[in-house]
Amino acid sequence: MYTPNPAIVAKDPLLQPLTIKHLTIRNRIMSTSHACGLEQNGMPDDAYQSYHEAKARGGLGLTMFGGSSNVDIDSPNIFRQLNVGTDAIIPYLQRFSTRIHAQGAALMCQISHLGRRGDPYGGDRLPTIGPSPVRETAHRAIPKEMDEHDIDRVVKAFARAALRCKEGGLDGIETMAGGHLIGQFLSSDTNRRTDRFGGSLENRCRFAIMVHEAIRKAVGDNFLLGMRFTIDEGPYSALRLDEGIRIALILKEAGAVDFFNAIYGSMENVPALAEYNMPGMGTPLSPWVEPVGVFRHEVGLPIFHAARIADLASARYAVREGKVDMAGMTRAQIADPDIVVKMASGREDEIRPCVGATHCQSQHRPSCLHNPVTGRELTLKHRIPKTDGRPRKVVVVGGGPAGLEAARVSAERGHQVSLYEAAAAFGGQILVGATGSWRRDLKGIVEWRVAELERLGASLHANAYMDEADIAALEPDVVIMATGGLPLVDIGAGAELCTNTWDVLTGQTALSGDVLIFDGTGRHPGPLAAERAVEMGARVSYISIDAVLAEELTYAERARWKKLFLKHGIQPVSETRLLSVERRDNRLLATLANDISHEITMLSVDHVVVEQGSIPMAEVFDALRGRASNAGVTDLEAMVAAGPQPQASVAGFELHRIGDAVASRNIHSAMLDALRICSAL
């Protein structure tokens, strides 16, 4: 499907091999280790392996896996890690390495002890351990200060875990320093010891060197040993770049490492994690490449690095200018695992871009907002195959994310596709969501699909409202209704006095004076409307039915909204409902009820903005059901399995509705509907 172009391969710095000791990695693009959420009882079974195999088939040089794989019993599984503390993992690793090597890629695992970053109430409910009893903010543990017996035990556990990885056929491992036990010894913020493991820089490095010496003795020299290493813990931390370089040089001098996987920023709390360590949308691309380049120059070992290297231009710069040796494009490959083969075959413009939405960091990971196949490789395909049957005439009504994906997948299948959108531009609610100060990259979801539809020869129609007769006149074989919904304003009384977030975000409603925003979803529209209201000069009161701001979003998105609310002086009130609105003295009087205290309060404002999601636009769909062979009924079992829908015995076209035309959900769910149905047409 993708044939490498020798001229491109010869010239592109990203496509040049990298040799570290005995191992030659075929190119400079890697996926860094992460807890992808697909393990089964701590083991990397078929779903886990297939997720990584897709990237290897897509051409990357190295895939690392097992973010924070646990080496010992008091490092609990708290965010779906692997368990490398047992021999039971070896057969899984052997199958895994065979699959990845068959695709030509190298395979490595990250092994770690969480230390104080663990959870004393998780796993076997054991105390967490650390160099000193310093509480971690994110996971709340106050660790037991390790004695030398603990240190000896954990050092041996690391060595045994590394040997299991070697016996599993892997090419190497990295230990996790930053934020985890090794890193807790390295930083004076968390290491306050006065014995031989604390105080001086050399003493704080002692535990790391002991761990790596034990690993090296267990696995030998023909197995790569690296460290995921925080070069700079960022503002308000003791470990800054100059000290990070000094630590790395001590480790290098001791022969402890073959490479460093350089990261930036502390993991101490969610804001630091979201803003510095794993930045997403709203953060500049490749924000830490320059300090990593300084680190590489000073340390003189192969350097891997990943932090929002989301595009090939940034990756090329980093490798070409000697800032890094391997460019970690982890989230970019979650969006499109075929990055390398597309680039090498001269089809770079077909790469699905990572927009940095951080959906892959949600509790539903590794789901990608932009690519619903990721994490579902056992039932869905990244490369859509052509249909085995006759090409069908597919009409898609609605050009939002669901409709665009339905049209794209149907066109990839080889069907004759026509897409009709009532508005002047394709994109639906994505265009509304992209109006925020840090959400503009969402447009990449629309732009890529429109470009793909044009490449595939689909017929695209904007400003084209379609009613029942219009659709029937096209004589379709399949009709996909992706008409979305209308804003829902459902309160006890006074709904007609309120405005909705969509009207605010599209500029149809101007706000001034005192504005009450009621958030009934915990999604983006409420905070976006609050930001827009402040920009208009309004004073905002913000109430939500949820316990925390933007509760439905990922932790990274919540952190960004909290920061913006602090900037604008908005103090959200949680677990409070809007009961009714009435006119009072040329203003609006809102009645509110607190779910905790059950107190009823009144608030006088100039505008009330309501966010409650949407209700489906179903009129045309309902009118079409009588003409449809399946009466508009989608077989859910077949849909979830991405299998063909049952064939009806009556005449008519096949009719389905997807996305918000069914129920109010997010972009990922809308496109997953489309993919499941249309990949089986």
Side-chain angles (χ1 to χ4, degrees):
M1 184 176 181
Y2 299 107
T3 302
N5 183 323
I8 292 175
V9 173
K11 291 170 55 178
D12 198 317
L14 293 175
L15 297 177
Q16 306 313 304
L18 172 67
T19 299
I20 306 175
K21 294 175 71 172
H22 65 283
L23 179 68
T24 297
I25 302 170
R26 63 182 171 184
N27 58 55
R28 304 303 184 95
I29 295 180
M30 67 177 294
S31 173
T32 52
S33 50
H34 54 289
C36 69
L38 293 171
E39 88 304 331
Q40 294 292 323
N41 300 315
M43 299 293 123
D45 212 340
D46 283 347
Y48 196 108
Q49 295 178 28
S50 296
Y51 162 71
H52 283 275
E53 188 178 30
K55 302 178 186 185
R57 185 181 300 112
L60 92 170
L62 166 65
T63 188
M64 301 185 82
F65 70 97
S68 309
S69 296
N70 294 304
V71 300
D72 210 353
I73 194 169
D74 52 356
S75 183
N77 186 341
I78 59 172
F79 42 86
R80 304 196 66 177
Q81 302 110 292
L82 299 182
N83 181 6
V84 290
T86 171
D87 289 347
I89 200 169
I90 296 173
Y92 292 90
L93 297 181
Q94 290 171 339
R95 283 197 294 118
F96 196 0
S97 59
T98 298
R99 292 174 68 170
I100 299 301
H101 290 154
Q103 300 295 337
L107 182 67
M108 298 188 195
C109 181
Q110 179 186 102
I111 67 174
S112 184
H113 193 297
L114 296 174
R116 73 182 191 127
R117 194 168 170 76
D119 181 348
Y121 312 118
D124 291 295
R125 210 176 176 91
L126 295 171
T128 61
I129 57 175
S132 302
V134 180
R135 179 184 184 271
E136 193 215 38
T137 304
H139 294 86
R140 312 187 63 80
I142 301 174
K144 168 198 173 187
E145 181 171 298
M146 296 171 69
D147 59 27
E148 296 225 13
H149 296 286
D150 294 317
I151 290 171
D152 181 62
R153 168 176 58 84
V154 173
V155 167
K156 290 176 180 176
F158 267 104
R160 289 192 295 267
L163 182 58
R164 293 182 186 105
C165 291
K166 182 178 181 180
E167 292 174 348
L170 274 57
D171 298 292
I173 59 165
E174 66 176 9
T175 61
M176 176 61 169
H180 292 210
L181 184 58
I182 292 175
Q184 292 159 26
F185 272 90
L186 296 176
S187 174
S188 59
D189 285 335
T190 47
N191 183 349
R192 302 175 184 177
R193 303 173 74 101
T194 57
D195 62 1
R196 68 191 185 110
F197 292 96
S200 70
L201 203 60
E202 290 74 16
N203 280 357
R204 284 185 274 131
C205 290
R206 191 181 306 278
F207 177 71
I209 291 172
M210 288 172 62
V211 167
H212 277 242
E213 284 179 343
I215 292 174
R216 186 78 76 186
K217 183 177 180 181
V219 301
D221 290 330
N222 63 340
F223 187 73
L224 291 191
L225 173 55
M227 180 181 288
R228 192 162 189 172
F229 180 78
T230 305
I231 65 169
D232 187 325
E233 289 189 339
Y236 318 115
S237 298
L239 202 163
R240 302 310 303 270
L241 181 59
D242 59 342
E243 186 165 271
I245 291 170
R246 289 168 57 204
I247 291 171
L249 290 172
I250 291 172
L251 296 174
K252 176 187 176 183
E253 180 66 24
V257 290
D258 299 317
F259 65 87
F260 283 106
N261 190 349
I263 56 176
Y264 186 99
S266 169
M267 297 182 179
E268 170 69 23
N269 50 52
V270 169
L273 193 64
E275 187 169 357
Y276 298 107
N277 199 260
M278 289 188 280
M281 187 183 294
T283 303
L285 292 171
S286 307
W288 313 126
V289 159
E290 296 305 325
V292 168
V294 172
F295 179 82
R296 179 182 181 274
H297 176 75
E298 295 293 331
V299 173
L301 284 175
I303 302 299
F304 305 170
H305 173 59
R308 198 150 150 72
I309 303 180
D311 66 308
L312 290 175
S314 298
R316 280 196 187 98
Y317 167 79
V319 171
R320 184 183 64 243
E321 300 301 318
K323 310 293 183 181
V324 305
D325 295 282
M326 290 291 292
M329 302 187 71
T330 311
R331 285 179 281 183
Q333 288 175 97
I334 288 174
D336 191 340
D338 283 331
I339 284 176
V340 178
V341 292
K342 288 180 178 178
M343 169 180 59
S345 60
R347 299 169 69 175
E348 195 168 316
D349 57 346
E350 295 177 26
I351 292 172
R352 184 191 320 236
C354 172
V355 299
T358 69
H359 198 74
C360 53
Q361 295 170 233
S362 76
Q363 66 269 35
H364 306 297
R365 64 183 185 277
S367 296
C368 174
L369 188 68
H370 199 354
N371 184 356
V373 178
T374 295
R376 299 184 177 92
E377 285 83 3
L378 294 182
T379 55
L380 299 172
K381 292 180 173 60
H382 289 285
R383 302 178 187 178
I384 307 296
K386 296 296 182 184
T387 180
D388 293 330
R390 67 172 180 85
R392 304 168 76 183
K393 190 173 185 179
V394 178
V395 172
V396 181
V397 183
L404 288 168
E405 181 69 351
R408 182 190 73 85
V409 175
S410 298
E412 287 277 18
R413 293 282 283 159
H415 298 303
Q416 179 186 341
V417 177
S418 298
L419 173 63
Y420 297 88
E421 165 57 41
F426 298 104
Q429 290 186 54
I430 288 179
L431 300 183
V432 179
T435 61
S437 61
W438 61 278
R439 301 280 292 163
R440 296 188 179 97
D441 287 353
L442 280 176
K443 289 183 179 179
I445 296 174
V446 178
E447 292 166 352
W448 180 76
R449 282 176 172 77
V450 170
E452 283 293 281
L453 285 167
E454 291 172 345
R455 178 180 68 83
L456 292 165
S459 179
L460 305 180
H461 307 271
N463 290 312
Y465 175 81
M466 302 291 284
D467 61 18
E468 175 195 2
D470 296 326
I471 296 168
L474 296 173
E475 298 182 350
D477 297 307
V478 181
V479 176
I480 306 293
M481 298 298 292
T483 47
L486 294 172
L488 174 63
V489 179
D490 181 20
I491 60 177
E496 72 281 359
L497 302 175
C498 303
T499 190
N500 61 73
T501 52
W502 297 14
D503 285 346
V504 173
L505 297 174
T506 56
Q508 296 184 51
T509 297
L511 301 176
S512 60
D514 296 309
V515 175
L516 171 65
I517 296 179
F518 170 58
D519 185 355
T521 64
R523 302 172 184 171
H524 286 291
L528 281 166
E531 182 183 49
R532 183 60 54 83
V534 170
E535 291 170 352
M536 293 178 183
R539 297 175 295 275
V540 174
S541 297
Y542 196 96
I543 66 171
S544 170
I545 61 173
D546 295 314
V548 297
L549 178 66
E551 186 160 350
E552 191 168 311
L553 305 182
T554 68
Y555 70 82
E557 292 170 309
R558 283 197 298 273
R560 183 167 284 277
W561 280 126
K562 287 178 181 178
K563 185 173 183 177
L564 279 169
F565 271 42
L566 284 171
K567 173 185 175 181
H568 295 310
I570 303 172
Q571 298 181 337
V573 177
S574 63
E575 296 164 302
T576 299
R577 298 177 183 275
L578 174 63
L579 299 182
S580 63
V581 178
E582 61 182 281
R583 290 200 180 277
R584 182 77 61 89
D585 300 328
N586 293 322
R587 301 223 326 157
L588 299 177
L589 188 65
T591 302
L592 312 175
N594 185 274
D595 288 341
I596 304 298
S597 67
H598 305 296
E599 181 182 4
I600 304 296
T601 58
M602 315 291 281
L603 184 65
S604 178
V605 295
D606 297 293
H607 302 273
V608 175
V609 180
V610 174
E611 162 55 26
Q612 290 179 315
S614 62
I615 53 174
M617 294 178 62
E619 293 83 358
V620 177
F621 171 79
D622 289 338
L624 287 169
R625 299 185 79 158
R627 299 175 183 257
S629 60
N630 64 337
V633 176
T634 301
D635 185 293
L636 298 182
E637 296 284 347
M639 177 183 172
V640 169
Q645 291 286 312
Q647 293 300 302
S649 58
V650 298
F653 48 78
E654 190 175 324
L655 173 66
H656 303 281
R657 58 174 171 165
I658 57 176
D660 284 3
V662 181
S664 180
R665 291 169 294 162
N666 64 12
I667 295 169
H668 177 91
S669 296
M671 292 196 293
L672 179 59
D673 282 357
L675 179 67
R676 282 170 161 170
I677 290 174
C678 296
S679 63
L681 290 180

